[in-house]
Amino acid sequence: MKFTIIFLTYSEEAVQYLELCQIERRHQAAITIQSRVRGWHCRRRWPLLKRQLKLHQIMVKIKRDAPPCRPKLFDVIEPPPPPPGRPPPDPDDQQHIMQQTRQIYGAR
């Protein structure tokens, strides 16, 4: 059996149409490959993402339920009350202590 090679000549419009079809088919193949790879990658990473989400939810619950460990910015901190049987500190005494400190370390 002998094969013969036949050369067909197409018009310029037909060649352009065939090239366009080839480009479109290649584009669709690339989309299919890309979607399959992305799906495989997501399925592969899903157990890790699920574990991280559970850990994040646990940490949020712990932080929400825990008492604050330090005052927030711009919170007014009240001084602790004096021990029973001791009078509260005198504001004039505080001024006296500040004057002594300034004398020792210099006025600023």
Side-chain angles (χ1 to χ4, degrees):
M1 180 179 231
K2 187 174 182 185
F3 293 102
T4 58
I5 298 175
I6 299 173
F7 292 100
L8 298 175
T9 57
Y10 294 109
S11 66
E12 187 66 32
E13 293 86 19
V15 171
Q16 286 179 353
Y17 176 73
L18 290 172
E19 287 177 354
L20 184 65
C21 288
Q22 183 183 17
I23 290 170
E24 182 63 30
R25 186 169 168 89
R26 187 177 295 148
H27 180 68
Q28 289 299 325
I31 289 174
T32 303
I33 291 169
Q34 194 175 40
S35 66
R36 297 288 172 102
V37 168
R38 284 181 177 174
W40 170 79
H41 191 255
C42 286
R43 285 189 302 277
R44 192 170 137 231
R45 287 188 59 212
W46 176 245
L48 175 65
L49 291 174
K50 195 174 176 182
R51 200 171 334 130
Q52 286 177 344
L53 179 63
K54 283 184 181 179
L55 287 175
H56 178 70
Q57 289 172 343
I58 291 170
M59 292 303 293
V60 166
K61 185 177 183 207
I62 289 172
K63 285 182 181 179
R64 184 183 61 223
D65 294 345
C69 58
R70 59 187 170 103
K72 294 182 179 162
L73 193 61
F74 302 117
D75 276 356
V76 177
I77 302 172
E78 295 291 327
R86 180 185 273 179
D90 186 21
D92 294 334
D93 190 39
Q94 292 289 336
Q95 291 294 329
H96 176 70
I97 293 172
M98 288 174 65
Q99 284 178 350
Q100 285 180 346
T101 305
R102 285 188 193 121
Q103 287 174 355
I104 293 172
Y105 296 106
R108 290 187 180 197

